[in-house]
Amino acid sequence: MIVENLFALISILPLPFWGAMLLFPRAGLTRRMVTSPWPFIVLGAVHALLLVAALATAAPAELGLSAVAIRSALGQRWGFLALWSHILILDLFAGIWIFRDAGYWRVRPAPYLLATLFAGPLGLALYLYLRQRHERHDPVRNLN
């Protein structure tokens, strides 16, 4: 039961950021949210706690670097939660980067944010492809 509740909590924590970027992209609160390091500090601490719990409850055979050991460790409840938080945090990081970078290029970020929210790396890849096309026409390349 605790794992299900933690799964729900971890899944909900990034949603205010996604909602703000998608629904209120010009709001001052959204700007403050996407420029603050605190969400990642908090989410990183949650991830670290889950990772410690996963390592503490893993059997010694699950602590190797082989594919079998990692699959076994991630298949446990704490390992799964650590992996899930890792995925959500990196997707949020990519989404915030897209949101901030799109302002420089004057690109509407919503389609890429939705793709990143639901398909992670695919949304980032689509945005990077679009960005590359815009960069060709800009004499000053932004290494962001």
Side-chain angles (χ1 to χ4, degrees), residues 52-126:
V52 167
L55 291 173
T57 59
E62 297 171 343
L63 295 177
L65 289 179
S66 69
V68 172
I70 292 172
R71 185 179 66 227
S72 178
L74 294 177
Q76 304 303 321
R77 60 184 176 184
W78 296 109
F80 168 73
L81 287 175
L83 177 63
W84 184 239
S85 69
H86 184 99
I87 291 168
L88 290 178
I89 292 166
L90 286 177
D91 284 353
L92 180 61
F93 182 81
I96 287 176
W97 181 83
I98 289 169
F99 181 81
R100 292 175 66 177
D101 191 66
Y104 175 82
W105 296 104
R106 291 185 174 90
V107 172
R108 208 180 101 213
Y112 308 101
L113 291 175
L114 284 170
T116 303
L117 174 61
F118 292 112
L122 178 62
L124 179 61
L126 290 171

Side-chain angles (χ1 to χ4, degrees), residues 19 86 130 137:
H86 184 99
L130 170 89
H137 306 296

Side-chain angles (χ1 to χ4, degrees), residues 24-47:
F24 310 106
R26 291 185 178 88
L29 178 61
T30 302
R31 292 283 172 203
R32 286 192 301 277
M33 289 171 73
V34 300
T35 57
S36 174
W38 285 106
F40 294 105
I41 292 170
V42 171
L43 292 170
V46 169
H47 176 67

